[in-house]
Amino acid sequence: MSMNVAYKGPADCPVVIPVFPLPGALLLPRGQMPLNIFEPRYLAMVDDALRTDRVIGMIQPDSESGETPLSPRLFRVGCAGRVTQFAETGDGRYLISLTGIARFRVEEELSTPTGYRRCKVSFAPFESDFHARAGEDAVDRAGVLKALRDFVDANDLKVDWAGIEEAPNEALVNALCMMSPFGPREKQAMLEAPDLKTRAEVLIAVTEMELVRGSGSEPTLQ
């Protein structure tokens, strides 16, 4: 497969992909995720991805659902990204950046001789992910910005308001979800939201609940 392949729909995506289980890590379509890779099995995963289609699936372990022979058990929905930046450090680490392509549903985890995990996946349930800025007009942008301002004020944070005001709704909602300090369950709810409008609503609801729970205490950023 060409290194310059364009993923325009589910049919363009590989059926079997390596997956990188990482709690609290949320990748969304067209989002950018930097990763510091140092474990030998994941160095091998990146090597193999660079030799083929450059696709790696980000997925969260589901720690509450028990163990499997390929433990820990994984959530059923993740997001595939393409390696768009790569650098090797002097101490053998890889610094890579993934650009989100689309979400996928795990159909089957495969037995594999590699140290990393591989899954047969389907992108078909997430056809809309391949269309940039789909559903932007339905987003409650004012509600998103109010929740963000309340969170920033409660935790004495600094943000680039000029950049936020200029960001289109998709970029704004997805970036805030990816950078949010919430736990794996909340991140998974954002990931599995059926559309951008619902994802924004989940983000607002989770932020408001965190503010109520926090009662002025500063949450720990993940």
Side-chain angles (χ1 to χ4, degrees):
M1 187 177 293
S2 167
M3 290 172 58
N4 296 317
V5 65
Y7 297 103
K8 297 180 180 179
D12 298 322
C13 297
V15 174
V16 175
I17 62 172
V19 295
F20 188 8
L22 193 61
L26 175 60
L27 178 64
L28 291 167
R30 288 164 290 283
Q32 301 286 325
M33 174 176 282
L35 292 168
N36 176 16
I37 308 295
F38 54 87
E39 287 189 49
R41 56 179 168 167
Y42 295 126
L43 293 171
M45 176 188 72
V46 173
D47 286 339
D48 291 345
L50 291 175
R51 280 194 291 264
T52 54
D53 47 35
R54 293 192 164 205
V55 173
I56 294 172
M58 296 301 301
I59 195 164
Q60 293 198 112
D62 185 359
S63 60
E64 297 179 13
S65 65
E67 298 293 307
T68 73
L70 296 170
S71 62
R73 190 185 298 273
L74 304 174
F75 279 104
R76 305 307 293 173
V77 175
C79 185
R82 186 168 184 273
V83 180
T84 47
Q85 293 185 35
F86 170 85
E88 187 171 2
T89 67
D91 57 2
R93 292 176 294 116
Y94 291 165
L95 303 178
I96 69 171
S97 180
L98 295 181
T99 298
I101 300 169
R103 291 170 293 171
F104 60 83
R105 183 173 297 278
V106 174
E107 295 187 338
E108 178 186 3
E109 182 162 3
L110 306 177
S111 297
T112 173
T114 63
Y116 58 86
R117 299 166 73 170
R118 297 168 72 243
C119 293
K120 180 180 179 182
V121 303
S122 173
F123 291 89
F126 305 105
E127 167 73 33
S128 63
D129 286 0
F130 295 90
H131 306 290
R133 303 181 68 171
E136 280 196 328
D137 292 343
V139 170
D140 178 9
R141 185 183 180 95
V144 171
L145 292 177
K146 180 181 183 303
L148 176 60
R149 288 186 185 278
D150 290 345
F151 187 84
V152 167
D153 291 345
N155 294 282
D156 195 24
L157 302 174
K158 294 182 179 180
V159 298
D160 176 13
W161 286 112
I164 286 171
E165 293 291 348
E166 294 174 0
N169 283 349
E170 182 190 54
L172 174 66
V173 171
N174 286 354
L176 291 177
C177 288
M178 288 175 62
M179 293 185 296
S180 68
F182 307 124
R185 288 284 171 182
E186 291 81 4
K187 292 285 186 75
Q188 195 67 24
M190 295 174 191
L191 177 68
E192 296 188 20
D195 50 44
L196 191 65
K197 174 180 181 291
T198 309
R199 183 173 299 137
E201 291 170 350
V202 173
L203 174 64
I204 292 169
V206 171
T207 302
E208 290 176 345
M209 287 188 292
E210 180 66 28
L211 288 168
V212 170
R213 282 198 300 264
S215 299
S217 61
E218 182 171 305
T220 301
L221 294 177
Q222 295 182 353

